[in-house]
Amino acid sequence: MLKDIERVLYTQDEIREMVHKMGKQISSDYAGLELVLVGVLKGGFIFLADLIRSISIPVSLDFISVSSYGHSTSSSGIVRIIKDIDIDVKNKHVILVEDIVDTGLTLNHLKGLFLSRQPAGVKICSAFDKPCRRQTDIAIDYKGLEVPDQFIVGYGLDYKEKYRNLPDICILKSEVYSEK
Ligand code: IMP
């Protein structure tokens, strides 16, 4: 697994610090409000597990699963809901929790979907941000660490379902994804 890695971009300690700050901010922004965190599977699962433990106010949790890249490294722009949430979000405050915003097409679609469900509000939170590839002007309300225009893996993020278990955020060697 490690032979496919070019270098570590963010260590687990740097990620932990970012998550703690974000959790503190969310706890203060949503104090006294009914908050639902919606994790976008699968990539967001480790981030969400860490984030929810950094939030000190009452919070509900649900998951949505969407298809994004399949086995490629570029977005098709087509978002298919594989598993929807179970909680009714009407009049509740929703935060969509993503692993990374790349083109922004996935979250743009999801934000529209959630807004149609009459919540009190919908905000977006992402552990990582790759701004140079954006194709929409979607606002990230809680933004973690910025990444360059390279393919990253680890801390829940995969390439062809591998590398999710790497504890750091790592840059994948380009020859790995340019292989046929
Ligand atoms: P977007 O719709 O282009 O913003 O794509 C978002 C999704 O693409 C993320 O939730 C990831 O699943 C995937 N993705 C985008 N960039 C990367 C990357 O560098 N590593 C791993 N997955 C990525």
Side-chain angles (χ1 to χ4, degrees):
M1 191 161 64
L2 289 176
K3 71 173 180 14
D4 298 337
I5 299 307
E6 192 175 301
R7 68 183 170 93
V8 170
L9 183 63
Y10 291 114
T11 65
Q12 9 185 350
D13 288 347
E14 289 169 313
I15 299 169
R16 192 177 305 123
E17 200 188 316
M18 172 276 285
V19 176
H20 276 304
K21 270 194 205 149
M22 208 183 265
K24 233 175 137 183
Q25 187 64 50
I26 290 174
S27 307
S28 126
D29 292 352
Y30 287 88
L33 300 175
E34 194 157 358
L35 176 62
V36 183
L37 291 188
V38 175
V40 183
L41 293 172
K42 301 177 193 173
F45 81 106
I46 294 182
F47 174 47
L48 184 56
D50 285 345
L51 182 68
I52 200 164
R53 286 177 291 175
S54 300
I55 294 178
S56 54
I57 57 167
V59 57
S60 308
L61 173 69
D62 210 332
F63 292 97
I64 191 162
S65 180
V66 298
S67 72
S68 52
Y69 286 0
H71 283 346
S72 159
T73 56
S74 61
S75 185
S76 63
I78 299 160
V79 179
R80 194 164 56 90
I81 306 291
I82 296 164
K83 183 227 168 279
D84 208 339
I85 56 167
D86 303 312
I87 295 178
D88 180 5
V89 294
K90 192 171 176 184
N91 299 327
K92 295 175 190 163
H93 292 267
V94 174
I95 301 182
L96 298 174
V97 182
E98 249 294 25
D99 52 354
I100 182 168
V101 184
D102 185 20
T103 62
L105 295 169
T106 307
L107 277 176
N108 205 34
H109 180 91
L110 285 181
K111 190 167 183 181
L113 174 72
F114 277 85
L115 282 172
S116 73
R117 295 175 174 178
Q118 298 170 273
V122 180
K123 292 217 169 163
I124 285 174
C125 165
S126 183
F128 305 100
D129 179 24
K130 213 190 271 184
C132 51
R133 293 196 11 116
R134 203 75 89 249
Q135 289 179 27
T136 59
D137 59 359
I138 186 111
I140 309 175
D141 305 284
Y142 299 97
K143 197 186 311 193
L145 302 164
E146 201 163 298
V147 303
D149 188 9
Q150 280 170 301
F151 203 80
I152 58 164
V153 291
Y155 195 68
L157 283 83
D158 73 309
Y159 174 65
K160 290 192 178 178
E161 294 302 330
K162 281 196 222 148
Y163 314 102
R164 291 192 197 275
N165 51 325
L166 290 171
D168 304 314
I169 273 290
C170 305
I171 296 180
L172 191 64
K173 283 183 182 163
S174 57
E175 56 258 40
V176 177
Y177 53 83
S178 44
E179 278 167 9
K180 289 261 150 98

